[in-house]
Amino acid sequence: MAKRALITGITGQDGMYLAEFLLDKGYLVFGLIRGQNNPKRLIVEQEIPKVELIEGDLADISSLVEALVYSEPDEVYNLGAMSFVALSFKQPELTGNITGLGAMRMLEAIRIADKAKKIKYYQASSSEMFGKVRETPQTELTPFHPRSPYGVAKVYAHYITLNYRESYDMFACSGILFNHESPRRGYEFVTRKATRFAARVKLGLQKELAFGNFDSKRDWGYSGDYVRAMWLMLQQDKPDDYVIATGETHSIKDLFDLAFAEVGIKDWKPYIKQDERFMRPAEVDVLTGDYSKAKKVLGWEPKVSFPELIKMMVKNDLEIEAKKKD
Ligand code: GDP
């Protein structure tokens, strides 16, 4: 019998890479999709037609119970969230409701619907929980100090996952994933903003980029590597929490250097315009993850390096933007 998985956040980069990964392993994959005429629905249907989409919303618990009853999953991956930090400052209530309470609703739906207690649950926790970091590098035991409504909501989701594991003996895991990117990353995130801009400057489509704070540093990995870690967590004998990261930190300047080197432009600074609109009320300055527990227990390691990742993203953006030029 094929294993069955239900993924929330199926239209995001992780949802899509995870769906492909699980389909390759012979899983039947169901994806929860929100709203009427969701424009991202078509992308999933075209790129991964084998995924069966189920309508439902993390804001509506009965739709989650229905989705579980219909899909009868062995594994649930809760990747759905309002995931953009900058927007979370503008819509803190929505962020708390979906990113925070959404996880509780899914856990509650599982508790109610899964009487046989067969479902394994994965919670997408985030390095944003570390925020104003208390120590470097950050491990599973580093205290949290979130710096945005998004980070705060993720802390709630993280602890409610632990709480359901302890209270109801659920197989519930939490992956504390550091920033991870890919050609499927949304355009609002800094890596994609940089790689698309490099491609557009090269093609003569754009000359200026309004940009925020240049001082942040991140531990950036590849989404395609990170979804493998999610699956590995659910294949263990016991549920646990794991940091998933590369252990390397890069600056935004490194990011732009690499993206522009890929299109053969050395000095990108004249193209950047500092813009207050992209500044955040509070910042996460620097993140570095220690993934040694994941390496030891799961045998997981990242495969794609930061330069390889940026190269892959620029190549993809050159192809996309070149089509617009025609
Ligand atoms: P985050 O780590 O989840 O917030 O990932 P992002 O890719 O959204 O942002 C990474 C860092 O880049 C943050 O410190 C942002 O403040 C910084 N940054 C500076 N300018 C921009 C910008 O124009 N867009 C985005 N998304 N981030 C920016």
Side-chain angles (χ1 to χ4, degrees), residues 275-307:
D275 189 329
E276 280 297 315
R277 285 180 304 140
F278 293 98
M279 302 290 192
R280 298 171 181 182
E283 258 297 356
V284 173
D285 296 329
V286 53
L287 293 171
T288 314
D290 174 352
Y291 69 91
S292 47
K293 179 176 171 185
K295 186 175 173 186
K296 187 163 159 242
V297 182
L298 308 176
W300 180 86
E301 274 191 278
K303 289 185 183 158
V304 175
S305 70
F306 185 58

Side-chain angles (χ1 to χ4, degrees), residues 5-237:
L6 173 65
I7 302 173
T8 73
I10 189 73
T11 61
Q13 57 167 4
D14 291 3
M16 291 178 72
Y17 285 113
L18 179 64
E20 287 170 340
F21 177 86
L22 295 174
L23 286 166
D24 261 6
K25 294 211 168 288
Y27 277 65
L28 283 176
V29 178
F30 299 84
L32 195 78
I33 190 132
R34 174 176 59 95
Q36 258 182 321
N37 289 327
N38 186 333
K40 291 187 181 163
R41 180 183 197 116
L42 201 62
I43 301 172
V44 180
E45 284 174 342
Q46 281 171 347
E47 289 190 30
I48 323 175
K50 279 193 181 153
V51 171
E52 186 173 340
L53 296 174
I54 305 175
E55 269 149 36
D57 198 315
L58 285 168
D60 183 329
I61 194 166
S62 58
S63 75
L64 302 181
V65 173
E66 284 284 0
L68 292 171
V69 169
Y70 178 80
S71 60
E72 295 184 61
D74 301 286
E75 297 169 8
V76 171
Y77 294 87
N78 185 36
L79 315 183
M82 201 309 284
S83 67
F84 186 38
V85 169
L87 185 61
S88 79
F89 285 103
K90 298 199 168 108
Q91 301 185 0
E93 183 181 350
L94 178 92
T95 305
N97 191 21
I98 305 304
T99 306
L101 290 176
M104 177 277 290
R105 287 191 196 96
M106 183 56 96
L107 287 160
E108 219 8 43
I110 293 173
R111 188 183 70 77
I112 293 164
D114 180 32
K115 291 289 177 238
K117 291 202 171 191
K118 71 158 190 166
I119 296 179
K120 294 179 172 183
Y121 175 83
Y122 172 84
Q123 173 59 29
S125 284
S126 164
S127 55
E128 286 294 313
M129 301 190 304
F130 296 122
K132 193 172 164 65
V133 298
R134 306 274 186 91
E135 62 180 3
T136 297
Q138 294 85 52
T139 74
E140 293 78 8
L141 299 175
T142 302
F144 300 138
H145 187 148
R147 294 276 278 172
S148 62
Y150 170 78
V152 173
K154 281 287 185 188
V155 170
Y156 172 83
H158 181 77
Y159 280 128
I160 201 76
T161 302
L162 266 69
N163 182 252
Y164 271 61
R165 178 162 84 210
E166 292 170 1
S167 306
Y168 304 113
D169 200 21
M170 264 192 199
F171 196 109
C173 294
S174 177
I176 308 175
L177 270 53
F178 281 60
N179 295 55
H180 46 288
E181 319 294 316
S182 76
R184 285 173 168 155
R185 189 56 145 152
Y187 288 112
E188 65 274 36
F189 292 89
V190 77
T191 50
R192 191 75 194 276
K193 190 166 171 172
T195 60
R196 173 158 81 162
F197 182 57
R200 288 177 65 80
V201 170
K202 173 71 181 173
L203 295 166
L205 292 167
Q206 198 174 340
K207 284 201 176 71
E208 193 176 88
L209 187 71
F211 200 79
N213 166 31
F214 253 92
D215 299 331
S216 306
K217 296 192 174 108
R218 291 287 183 276
D219 178 334
W220 278 297
Y222 172 49
S223 168
D225 279 342
Y226 285 29
V227 298
R228 201 171 65 245
M230 300 176 186
W231 176 77
L232 282 167
M233 287 178 213
L234 299 195
Q235 313 314 310
Q236 305 306 306
D237 292 337

Side-chain angles (χ1 to χ4, degrees), residues 49 204 273:
K273 197 171 148 252

